[in-house]
Amino acid sequence: MSTHTPYDLVGVGIGPFNLSLAALADGVDGLDALFLDAKPAFSWHPGLLMEGTTLQVPFLADLVTMADPTSPWSYLNYLRSHRRMFPFFFSERFLIPRREYDHYCRWVAEHLPSCRFDARVTAVEWDESADAFAVTHRSADGTTGRVLARQVVLGVGTNPVVPEALRPLLTEEHRGRVLHSADYRTHRESLAALDDVTVIGAGQSGAEVLLDLIRRQDGQGRGGPYTRWLARTPAFAPMEYSKIGLEHFTPDYIHYFRALPEERREQLVREQWQLYKGVSAATLGEIHDELYERTIGGGRPRADLHPGTAVRAVETDGDGYLLTCHHAQQDSEFTVRTSAIVAATGYAATRPAFLDAMGELVDWDERQRYRVDGDYRVALDPRVGGSLYVQNAETHTHGVGAPDLTLGAWRAAKILNAVCGRTVLDVPEQTAWTTFGAPRTAPAHQDGPYTAERQPDPIGSPS
């Protein structure tokens, strides 16, 4: 298939963030949009959709509500459409099951005519003759297509990160015994049948994998694998979830962060690990409760927790693996033997291969990352007349809120307004009580020690 009439917008990838944009764009007058994804249907972290796991953000951080609560694609309307509003009300849930969030997103994707699956994008290039981007895609049966777009939004998500010491073992020979947590559910049963499993990574995924494996033991701590949790962080710490602390996930903090020097931004992202790499206090509590249960009657939990520990080397050892570990605070090394390794070591944005066709038209920074402006527009060569936007690839320019669902709808609305060249959705820029950085205005009704240039806008008012 080929089209000679450019779409106003083509989205590449249909994860929660581009699906949010598709939902907010649905029904916008004069906007012709198409979203493409390689998968046969919507799917969100299928390897971690275990029973009992929940989102780490409230249900209001759905695809649309934080930008447009009147949208028909809200989570509450999903519940209404499935006749589940009363059960949800009585359950008094604020954090909803991950499996339900996945089903909600699938419901939206299946009903939006702009979403097309089984369409793997193989190239995005600038077609000077058409004054548009040319987006080439291919289906699983080999059928190819080419569409034109005035503007493109990349929402291809992030890829699993595996420690360097483990990478040589990511082969077919070690399949199911050395893996990233993204594939945990696929190998869950076989891992539970082993005698010893090591989980690496102190975030929510690592905690959930550990908890799931411990629960495979019986009440006396027998059965199921001996489970070990290793992490470089100095503690297995709860995620920052105070009401003021969460204001790091606001437009206010994004504006502050963007104005900082690059070196300071890099330092902040590393220091703020508890904002986005910590574990929910509830999950940590459940782990402690499971371990406590196993001490009743004089038993000992068949589990070990080692914070402040980095894995330096991994080698095969018979039918298992020998890990050389380094404890940072003691500056000492020790070894452990295990039957399997689950790396719950997070995700990172990578440069998609289909952008190679753009050649030098993308203005990459010194680390080959996108340069992204306040509207999430990527810096391009002046010869390119269209705009390229990114979602969840801008932590280095916008801060720790980039991968967080809380800001998903707000960011999508910002992009939608930029794509349309007008205010389709009036989203606030000032939303926090916190003043990040030195104050530039005097507080209302107070003679401060600094000169006021203007009185601050009321929270929630458009800027």
Side-chain angles (χ1 to χ4, degrees), residues 124-148:
V124 174
E125 54 195 321
W126 180 250
D127 187 333
E128 291 188 13
S129 63
D131 193 32
F133 293 99
V135 181
T136 305
H137 57 89
R138 182 177 65 244
S139 64
D141 65 7
T143 303
T144 60
R146 182 176 184 270
V147 296
L148 299 176

Side-chain angles (χ1 to χ4, degrees), residues 3-10 127 130 132-135 146-150:
T3 179
H4 300 287
T5 302
Y7 284 91
D8 298 307
L9 168 66
V10 168
D127 187 333
F133 293 99
V135 181
R146 182 176 184 270
V147 296
L148 299 176
R150 296 185 179 90

Side-chain angles (χ1 to χ4, degrees), residues 60-138:
L60 292 173
D62 61 14
L63 299 172
V64 295
T65 297
M66 297 295 281
D68 181 13
T70 68
S71 170
W73 305 117
S74 69
Y75 171 75
L76 289 179
N77 197 43
Y78 154 81
L79 291 174
R80 178 179 178 274
S81 298
H82 288 79
R83 300 179 181 275
R84 299 181 61 233
M85 186 68 82
F86 274 87
F88 175 75
F89 177 79
F90 294 130
S91 72
E92 296 186 344
R93 286 180 178 267
F94 208 48
L95 304 177
I96 63 174
R98 274 209 204 130
R99 292 171 58 242
E100 186 171 45
Y101 179 77
D102 175 72
H103 189 259
Y104 154 66
C105 289
R106 203 175 325 136
W107 171 75
V108 175
E110 289 172 353
H111 285 83
L112 286 177
S114 61
C115 291
R116 183 184 303 172
F117 291 90
D118 188 22
R120 179 182 298 278
V121 171
T122 56
V124 174
E125 54 195 321
W126 180 250
D127 187 333
E128 291 188 13
S129 63
D131 193 32
F133 293 99
V135 181
T136 305
H137 57 89
R138 182 177 65 244

Side-chain angles (χ1 to χ4, degrees), residues 95-393:
L95 304 177
I96 63 174
R98 274 209 204 130
R99 292 171 58 242
E100 186 171 45
Y101 179 77
D102 175 72
H103 189 259
Y104 154 66
C105 289
R106 203 175 325 136
W107 171 75
V108 175
E110 289 172 353
H111 285 83
L112 286 177
S114 61
C115 291
R116 183 184 303 172
F117 291 90
D118 188 22
R120 179 182 298 278
V121 171
T122 56
V124 174
E125 54 195 321
W126 180 250
D127 187 333
E128 291 188 13
S129 63
D131 193 32
F133 293 99
V135 181
T136 305
H137 57 89
R138 182 177 65 244
S139 64
D141 65 7
T143 303
T144 60
R146 182 176 184 270
V147 296
L148 299 176
R150 296 185 179 90
Q151 304 183 79
V152 171
V153 181
L154 304 181
V156 294
T158 51
N159 294 319
V161 173
V162 176
E164 186 175 352
L166 291 179
R167 291 171 196 167
L169 299 174
L170 295 178
T171 63
E172 190 61 33
E173 178 185 357
H174 303 282
R175 177 178 169 80
R177 291 184 298 138
V178 179
L179 62 146
H180 192 273
S181 57
D183 298 317
Y184 174 71
R185 195 167 177 229
T186 302
H187 303 285
R188 184 184 186 189
E189 298 304 323
S190 59
L191 288 168
L194 297 175
D195 63 336
D196 188 292
V197 177
T198 296
V199 181
I200 303 174
Q204 184 70 21
S205 298
E208 289 174 354
V209 170
L210 177 85
L211 181 60
D212 189 63
L213 290 170
I214 291 174
R215 284 174 170 165
R216 297 306 183 102
Q217 303 169 6
D218 63 24
Q220 304 303 313
R222 296 187 293 270
Y226 193 98
T227 308
R228 186 179 299 101
W229 195 12
L230 308 177
R232 291 184 300 175
T233 55
F236 296 108
M239 180 172 287
E240 169 57 71
Y241 207 73
S242 67
K243 294 177 181 179
I244 296 297
L246 288 176
E247 290 193 342
H248 285 86
F249 302 97
T250 59
D252 307 67
Y253 186 74
I254 290 175
H255 300 322
Y256 162 75
F257 185 88
R258 279 180 43 75
L260 294 173
E262 181 179 353
E263 289 185 7
R264 185 61 182 133
R265 294 199 304 262
E266 300 287 343
Q267 180 184 358
L268 271 176
V269 170
R270 292 192 300 270
E271 292 174 350
Q272 293 172 335
W273 62 272
Q274 265 187 271
L275 285 171
Y276 64 108
K277 290 185 178 180
V279 183
S280 75
T283 305
L284 289 173
E286 290 179 79
I287 291 172
H288 187 277
D289 291 347
E290 290 290 341
L291 298 178
Y292 177 82
E293 283 286 332
R294 283 147 181 76
T295 66
I296 297 174
R300 187 187 186 283
R302 298 180 61 245
D304 279 319
L305 281 61
H306 298 281
T309 300
V311 177
R312 289 284 181 83
V314 182
E315 56 185 280
T316 57
D317 182 30
D319 60 350
Y321 306 93
L322 188 68
L323 283 67
T324 301
C325 305
H326 178 260
H327 190 277
Q329 294 177 358
Q330 292 181 332
D331 192 22
S332 60
E333 287 196 347
F334 63 95
T335 60
V336 296
R337 189 189 182 283
T338 190
S339 301
I341 305 167
V342 181
T345 42
Y347 300 80
T350 57
R351 176 174 172 172
F354 60 72
L355 274 187
D356 291 347
M358 289 287 290
E360 301 301 318
L361 295 177
V362 177
D363 183 15
W364 305 101
D365 71 7
E366 292 79 7
R367 302 190 187 189
Q368 294 299 296
R369 300 172 301 191
Y370 304 107
R371 299 183 192 272
V372 188
D373 72 9
D375 289 327
Y376 300 91
R377 186 185 293 105
V378 173
L380 301 174
D381 188 285
R383 289 174 292 171
V384 179
S387 293
L388 179 70
Y389 301 84
V390 290
Q391 302 215 63
N392 194 13

